[in-house]
Amino acid sequence: MIEQTCPLSDADPWVARDAAVVWHGFTQMAAYPGNSPVTVERAEGRELIDVHGNRYFDAISSLWVTTLGHHIPELDQAVVDQLGKVAHATLLGNGSRAAIEFAEALASVVPVTDAHVLFASDGAVAVEQALKIAFQYWVNRGEAGHRQFLALDDAYHGDTVGALSLGDGGFGTTLFDPLRFPVLRSPGYASGDWAVKLVGAIEANASSLAAVVIEPLVQGASGILVAEAEDLALVGEACRSHGVLLICDEVATGFGRTGRLFASEWAGPDFRPDIVCLGKGITGGYLPLSATVASGQVFAAFDGPDLGETTFYHGHSYGGNALACAVALRHLQLIDEWDVLATVAVTATRLAERLADSVAGRPGVGEIRQRGLMVGIDLDPPPGATRWGRRVCAGAVGRGVLLRPLGDVVVIMPPLTTTVEEIDRVVDALVASIDEVASEDRR
Ligand SMILES: Cc1ncc(COP(=O)(O)O)c(C=O)c1O
């Protein structure tokens, strides 16, 4: 029996107020109040605290954005300091000190040669910008015909129409298919030969490609499907030798999540994407910021006369927001100062061990996939059983561990500073929830 620490939502006035005015994304609002949502009021460290004082370990990093934890004094201070200067000033045609300083720091670590940073506010927009940059790159160079994008099965790049086009669909988005532009597709990481197939598609279509787009190492939203670093390297080499632009969407994998600062780094020093998309963890989970980072070679194709046609006519009101850039800069410094990647190595190893000991092979559990602190656990419900992902995660929430599934895949994506004791807390809650749901369906 779940020890219910939060009150039932129909007795919860916050849930009623919430459902009356807030429209939650990826959420059926008619069912929302009945699904016992957590209403967060504040946070300490890696715990979220709801309006009733219940504490939940944030095992999904608030949808994969939180890196160091919540309410980090140094990050809070960075925002406060910037507030004392200016909260926002546009980057369209003018500069902002906070954006310059963060872009300099980012350019020195991102695996893009001679990096140039175009800011926005969400991951999907970083992808939209990358698509348009790649498309216009060929137009500006006067090389006709490079109009197609090559993307993978099971890809997810966000919910705007361009990003949705690159994505493989699903998630209830099929009705938008008439709006999605066609892209060439190659098998994703679920296929053992995905890289060979992708290299073949690059060779066959090089003259018509604007770019190849991948999520390096991990296809996150499709259930944490994982690739081998050597396979990424093969794809990078094929793009280079055929003169095809490579866009790496590191919105989910960036900023330490896989154990390196960027997942692209696993493929070795020669793996240099032409464009990298960043978001989510870029501000440590504090403020909305994203970035499309283009190589100097890509950037140079946009040189031309003032008000001329080679200009990139694209921008967003809050792109490069000063508060967001200030906290992003401090975050990048802290990853280094605190040696966060060393912590990730220890914690990821502990998580792998606990999953192998306590979760793998358990009734109701299928494959487990992990790269750093990104984990997907396939649930394997008996025939006729429904909503296992939801039910298992609800059980974990009732035990004070916030999890959110992708279908019947339980995703564990804890903050990078998670301790081994907290890993045990997550795994213990998960095991108890899986056993409970499995026994309910055996009755
Ligand atoms: C790889 C990838 N790209 C893009 C996005 C979209 O980011 P956002 O939700 O910030 O628009 C996501 C979100 O999960 C993602 O995983």
Side-chain angles (χ1 to χ4, degrees), residues 63-65 121-127 156-160 163 214-215 218-221 249-253 277 279-280 289-290:
L63 238 296
W64 315 358
V65 302
S121 305
D122 284 287
V125 180
V127 173
Y156 176 76
H157 298 283
D159 297 327
T160 54
I214 60 169
E215 295 157 80
V218 183
Q219 292 186 301
D249 177 352
E250 293 239 22
V251 168
T253 53
C277 305
K280 288 195 183 280
L289 183 72
S290 65

Side-chain angles (χ1 to χ4, degrees), residues 54 109 123 152 174 189 198 208 284 313 365 403 409 430 435:
N54 297 307
V109 292
L152 297 182
T174 311
Y189 300 164
L198 184 57
S208 70
Y313 287 107
V365 174
L403 288 175
V409 180
L430 177 64
D435 287 355

Side-chain angles (χ1 to χ4, degrees), residues 189 192-196 198-199 214 216-217 226-238 240 246 260 263-271 371:
Y189 300 164
D193 61 352
W194 74 270
V196 174
L198 184 57
V199 168
I214 60 169
L217 210 65
V226 295
E228 302 301 327
E230 309 84 72
D231 284 342
L232 287 184
L234 285 181
V235 170
E237 176 52 34
R240 195 168 50 241
L246 175 60
R260 298 264 172 100
S264 298
E265 293 172 28
W266 289 103
D270 293 339
F271 186 81
R371 288 288 180 273

Side-chain angles (χ1 to χ4, degrees), residues 170-187:
F171 290 114
T173 62
T174 311
L175 84 159
F176 296 117
D177 284 356
L179 299 181
R180 295 166 68 207
F181 60 77
V183 304
L184 296 175
R185 286 249 172 243
S186 192

